[in-house]
Amino acid sequence: MKSVLVKPLRILIWVLVSGYVHCQRTGVVNIGAVYTHNSVIGRVAKVAIETAVADVNGDPSILKDTQLKLIMEDVDCNVFMGAVKAFEVLEKEVVAIIGPLSSSVAHMISMIANSFQVPLLSFAATDSSLTSLQFPFFLRTTQTDSYQMAAMAELIYYYGWQNIIAIFVDNDYGRNGISVLEEELGKRMSKISHKVALPVQFNLSSVADLLNKSKLVGSCVYVVHANPNSGLTIFSVAQHLQMMTSNYVWLATDWLSTTLDSLSLVNGTLLHILQGVVGLRQHTPESSHKNAFLSRWKEFQKRGLVRSELITYGLNAYDSVWAVARSVDEFLNEYGNVTFSHKKMGNLPQEMYKTFDGGIFLLEK
């Protein structure tokens, strides 16, 4: 009789202990951040992301006994490095990836994120061809270029400008952005007269050569859709070629305001070069949270933690971390813990990487 009672008792204890372990809430959740660190946006994003993680971990109203662990990697604005670094953070079992900045890199990492079922939140990839229809695990926490190109086309239409020349970087971001502008101009019975595609790594001589060729068209309206890190070079060359006069109209997408907003001090020479240039800026609604973060940013600058001014993409990066944290909180409240499983991924060894079992459910949060 004794052996008959002891065996069921052991089974009951094992079931209770196993159930307790299974329901225990995960103590640490890893999130990745993959982007170009040494860039106009990246320098701001790094501080914003790290601050957001610290704020989440210090807030008792969210994630309870769970801490976020940040794993950051630098892709150096390179598609190949983007893929390599994405695999590196996925190997560390992250539940979400924040970034990248580049639309070209975002295309690559989105395909990887889809395969591993890990949400990818980009706070700076504005290429409108990046959609959740093609990449279900891609989430955008910024505006697409569709908005600013519609505004740009409306501005051109309002003033009745003709001879539109588009200057853009020859990558996904540049080509697709100008394609949207072309569509928006077409809706208003206008068109782009000439396109000037700049190499991704352009220099002064290549810009000068292309601008000189565009001068043959005559007086024009130039729309510049470039990167924050190198776009100012275009205007420097244009001034040298005497193209910053009243015979020309210069318009710039939000890369210019992003560059200028990031500078703590704008020198007189730069202001002189940009005199007369009209640029667009993303709108962020005023709020007490935004003003409080701006005040904190000023303190960061005083303490030497950051040199750049706070820009819109920095706010987006900060909010992206909080979006992940709230989603993870809801996920853990419902499912209790985070698990990963080995699955066959194309030609990759099955034991090499794990997919996030709850990726689809976290995405829905």
Side-chain angles (χ1 to χ4, degrees):
M1 185 69 179
K2 181 179 178 181
S3 61
V4 174
L5 288 173
V6 170
K7 190 173 183 179
L9 184 60
R10 286 176 178 171
I11 294 173
L12 178 61
I13 292 172
W14 181 83
V15 170
L16 289 173
V17 172
S18 298
Y20 172 74
V21 172
H22 175 73
C23 294
Q24 263 191 317
R25 189 181 174 103
T26 300
V28 177
V29 173
N30 295 336
I31 62 170
V34 179
Y35 62 95
T36 303
H37 293 180
N38 188 25
S39 63
V40 170
I41 298 176
R43 286 187 286 271
V44 176
K46 183 178 185 296
V47 178
I49 291 172
E50 291 174 338
T51 301
V53 171
D55 289 350
V56 168
N57 289 336
D59 190 335
S61 69
I62 189 170
L63 288 177
K64 297 179 182 177
D65 298 323
T66 301
Q67 293 280 297
L68 288 184
K69 181 180 178 182
L70 178 64
I71 300 169
M72 289 203 293
E73 294 290 349
D74 186 5
V75 304
D76 198 25
C77 205
N78 182 284
V79 174
F80 174 74
M81 287 302 299
V84 171
K85 296 302 181 181
F87 279 120
E88 286 184 8
V89 297
L90 287 167
E91 194 176 11
K92 296 178 175 67
E93 298 186 354
V94 298
V95 300
I97 298 175
I98 296 172
L101 313 180
S102 162
S103 295
S104 298
V105 178
H107 275 278
M108 173 60 75
I109 299 182
S110 292
M111 291 189 288
I112 298 171
N114 281 352
S115 299
F116 286 86
Q117 298 186 352
V118 171
L120 174 68
L121 288 80
S122 179
F123 55 89
T126 57
D127 178 3
S128 55
S129 71
L130 282 162
T131 67
S132 57
L133 291 175
Q134 183 180 6
F135 304 111
F137 282 83
F138 175 78
L139 301 169
R140 198 193 311 268
T141 55
T142 186
Q143 296 178 354
T144 72
D145 282 332
S146 299
Y147 292 95
Q148 66 171 337
M149 292 309 181
M152 187 70 73
E154 189 63 28
L155 179 65
I156 291 170
Y157 171 76
Y158 179 82
Y159 285 99
W161 287 324
Q162 303 295 323
N163 289 340
I164 312 301
I165 293 183
I167 301 177
F168 59 95
V169 181
D170 195 9
N171 58 15
D172 290 331
Y173 158 77
R175 289 189 300 268
N176 293 332
I178 294 303
S179 178
V180 174
L181 175 60
E182 204 162 25
E183 291 176 11
E184 292 295 336
L185 287 172
K187 295 175 184 178
R188 296 161 178 81
M189 305 302 291
S190 185
K191 64 178 182 179
I192 295 174
S193 306
H194 185 61
K195 296 179 182 178
V196 178
L198 296 173
V200 175
Q201 301 295 334
F202 62 80
N203 52 38
L204 292 174
S205 61
S206 61
V207 174
D209 182 55
L210 290 169
L211 287 182
N212 265 321
K213 290 178 181 177
S214 72
K215 287 175 68 175
L216 300 175
V217 180
S219 298
C220 300
V221 175
Y222 286 90
V223 178
V224 183
H225 187 49
N227 294 318
N229 300 312
S230 54
L232 291 175
T233 303
I234 298 170
F235 293 111
S236 297
V237 175
Q239 186 193 46
H240 180 71
L241 297 176
Q242 298 183 345
M243 296 176 67
M244 301 296 290
T245 66
S246 58
N247 293 326
Y248 302 89
V249 174
W250 288 89
L251 308 174
T253 52
D254 75 334
W255 69 267
L256 179 58
S257 60
T258 297
T259 303
L260 295 179
D261 289 348
S262 71
L263 301 176
S264 299
L265 182 65
V266 180
N267 62 56
T269 302
L270 180 58
L271 288 176
H272 177 69
I273 292 173
L274 296 174
Q275 189 172 5
V277 178
V278 177
L280 301 181
R281 175 185 280 113
Q282 287 193 27
H283 172 69
T284 54
E286 292 299 321
S287 69
S288 57
H289 292 295
K290 175 183 172 181
N291 292 332
F293 192 61
L294 284 168
S295 297
R296 291 177 66 189
W297 196 267
K298 294 296 182 185
E299 288 299 317
F300 293 160
Q301 290 177 313
K302 289 179 181 178
R303 290 157 52 190
L305 299 177
V306 62
R307 296 178 61 184
S308 301
E309 295 291 328
L310 181 60
I311 57 178
T312 302
Y313 293 106
L315 295 172
N316 295 343
Y318 182 86
D319 287 346
S320 296
V321 174
W322 273 96
V324 170
R326 296 191 188 284
S327 297
V328 170
D329 192 37
E330 288 186 30
F331 178 87
L332 292 178
N333 287 339
E334 186 169 348
Y335 298 101
N337 57 16
V338 173
T339 60
F340 294 80
S341 300
H342 288 292
K343 293 181 182 178
K344 184 64 177 174
M345 306 290 295
N347 295 323
L348 293 175
Q350 187 168 338
E351 69 278 3
M352 188 173 179
Y353 293 101
K354 296 178 181 179
T355 59
F356 177 28
D357 295 326
I360 294 176
F361 303 107
L362 181 63
L363 190 67
E364 294 172 351
K365 301 299 180 184

